[in-house]
């Protein structure tokens, strides 16, 4: 809410990338995205596939959008785990910065991007996050979805319109965001290590990484010989599914 408040009050705010993890379907993230699209406007909100965010290719015009939502956030292969994270670091930045935009059928141009990234995933191991990551704020969504009656009532409320035919709820929520007090300096600090982020660090490390971490934690000295770690890991190759 603090992140959304800062963005509503100043569209040039970027802040950390938000990653919401829900292992259960039906916790309301799509409803949240639809509400944000209404609040901030269609032209200010884009839904971009995660592989395009981390591999922009020839066209990256989506980086002109103030808010980018990315569903199904997940590295696709073991080899690309950290590659995806490294590419994501180029997109997630606390500060506005100049980027070169390549749009289809248009000349390249330089713009200042204010993109804030909101990612959704159903996997606790969605990204190979660095232990020293400063840019991603990881949130764990409820493990149990709300009952259908909850969403029936919510959807009925969202469907209500004012005398102009616009969503009646939007003006009230937007006003509430504008009236909230937020300390933006806190949002420019390194993203907190939440329980969800700790879980992602553990799960995304993989079995080999966990074995290496175990060796390092038990090693008596400050220097570890490479062969010592290698021998321990390779001795468990059949169990760790090492190629």
């Amino acid at each position: 809410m603090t992140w959304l408040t800062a963005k509503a009050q100043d569209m040039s705010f970027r802040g950390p990338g938000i990653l919401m993890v829900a292992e259960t379907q039906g916790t309301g993230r799509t409803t949240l995205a639809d509400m944000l699209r209404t609040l901030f406007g269609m032209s200010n909100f884009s839904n971009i596939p995660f592989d395009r965010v981390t591999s922009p290719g020839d066209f990256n015009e989506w980086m002109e959008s103030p808010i980018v939502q990315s569903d199904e956030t997940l590295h696709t292969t073991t080899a690309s785990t950290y590659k995806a994270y490294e590419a994501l670091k180029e997109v997630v930045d606390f500060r506005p910065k100049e980027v070169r935009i390549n749009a289809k059928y248009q000349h390249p141009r330089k713009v200042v991007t204010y993109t804030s990234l909101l990612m959704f995933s159903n996997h606790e191991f969605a990204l190979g996050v660095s232990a020293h990551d400063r840019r991603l704020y990881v949130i764990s969504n409820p493990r149990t979805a709300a009952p259908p009656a909850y969403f029936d009532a919510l959807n009925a409320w969202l469907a209500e319109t004012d005398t102009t035919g616009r969503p009646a709820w939007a003006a009230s929520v937007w006003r509430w965001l504008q009236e909230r007090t937020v300390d933006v300096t806190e949002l420019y600090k390194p993203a907190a290590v939440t329980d969800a982020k700790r879980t992602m660090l553990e799960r995304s490390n993989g079995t080999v990484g966990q074995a290496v971490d175990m060796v390092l934690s038990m090693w008596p000295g400050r220097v570890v010989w490479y062969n010592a770690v290698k021998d321990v890991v390779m001795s468990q190759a059949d169990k760790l599914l090492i190629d």
Side-chain angles (χ1 to χ4, degrees), residues 54-118:
T54 54
S55 302
D58 295 330
F59 306 115
N60 63 344
E61 69 281 357
W62 56 268
M63 295 187 72
E64 293 183 285
S65 179
I67 300 181
V68 169
Q69 169 202 352
S70 184
D71 295 327
E72 305 305 328
T73 299
L74 178 67
H75 59 77
T76 54
T77 66
T78 302
S80 67
T81 300
Y82 296 101
K83 183 179 179 180
Y85 170 70
E86 289 300 319
L88 193 62
K89 286 167 57 177
E90 296 298 315
V91 179
V92 180
D93 198 315
F94 286 80
R95 300 157 299 177
K97 68 177 183 180
E98 187 177 84
V99 296
R100 181 184 176 89
I101 296 296
N102 293 311
K104 200 169 185 178
Y105 306 126
Q106 297 181 22
H107 291 293
R109 60 184 181 276
K110 289 185 178 181
V111 304
V112 176
T113 180
Y114 303 99
T115 301
S116 296
L117 192 60
L118 177 63

Side-chain angles (χ1 to χ4, degrees), residues 53-234:
V53 171
T54 54
S55 302
D58 295 330
F59 306 115
N60 63 344
E61 69 281 357
W62 56 268
M63 295 187 72
E64 293 183 285
S65 179
I67 300 181
V68 169
Q69 169 202 352
S70 184
D71 295 327
E72 305 305 328
T73 299
L74 178 67
H75 59 77
T76 54
T77 66
T78 302
S80 67
T81 300
Y82 296 101
K83 183 179 179 180
Y85 170 70
E86 289 300 319
L88 193 62
K89 286 167 57 177
E90 296 298 315
V91 179
V92 180
D93 198 315
F94 286 80
R95 300 157 299 177
K97 68 177 183 180
E98 187 177 84
V99 296
R100 181 184 176 89
I101 296 296
N102 293 311
K104 200 169 185 178
Y105 306 126
Q106 297 181 22
H107 291 293
R109 60 184 181 276
K110 289 185 178 181
V111 304
V112 176
T113 180
Y114 303 99
T115 301
S116 296
L117 192 60
L118 177 63
M119 298 171 287
F120 298 155
S121 181
N122 295 325
H123 308 278
E124 289 184 329
F125 53 88
L127 289 173
V129 182
S130 164
H132 305 290
D133 172 76
R134 301 161 53 92
R135 304 170 186 241
L136 298 179
Y137 187 80
V138 186
I139 301 172
S140 180
N141 296 128
R143 293 181 179 271
T144 303
Y150 172 85
F151 287 103
D152 288 342
L154 176 59
N155 290 328
W157 178 67
L158 293 175
E160 294 178 3
T161 58
D162 58 21
T163 55
T164 66
R166 297 177 179 178
W169 62 270
S172 296
V173 173
W174 186 259
R175 182 170 57 250
W176 176 72
L177 288 172
Q178 295 297 326
E179 292 175 349
R180 293 188 77 222
T181 300
V182 56
D183 184 357
V184 179
T185 58
E186 289 296 317
L187 294 171
Y188 282 111
K189 293 181 179 179
V193 181
T194 60
D195 289 341
K197 193 169 189 176
R198 291 190 184 93
T199 299
M200 185 163 292
L201 282 166
E202 295 172 0
R203 295 289 303 278
S204 64
N205 201 17
T207 48
V208 174
Q210 292 172 19
V212 172
D213 286 344
M214 181 184 68
V215 173
L216 295 178
S217 67
M218 299 175 65
W219 201 260
R222 297 181 61 184
V223 177
V224 182
W225 296 109
Y226 165 76
N227 284 338
V229 178
K230 180 182 177 183
D231 290 344
V232 171
V233 174
M234 294 308 297

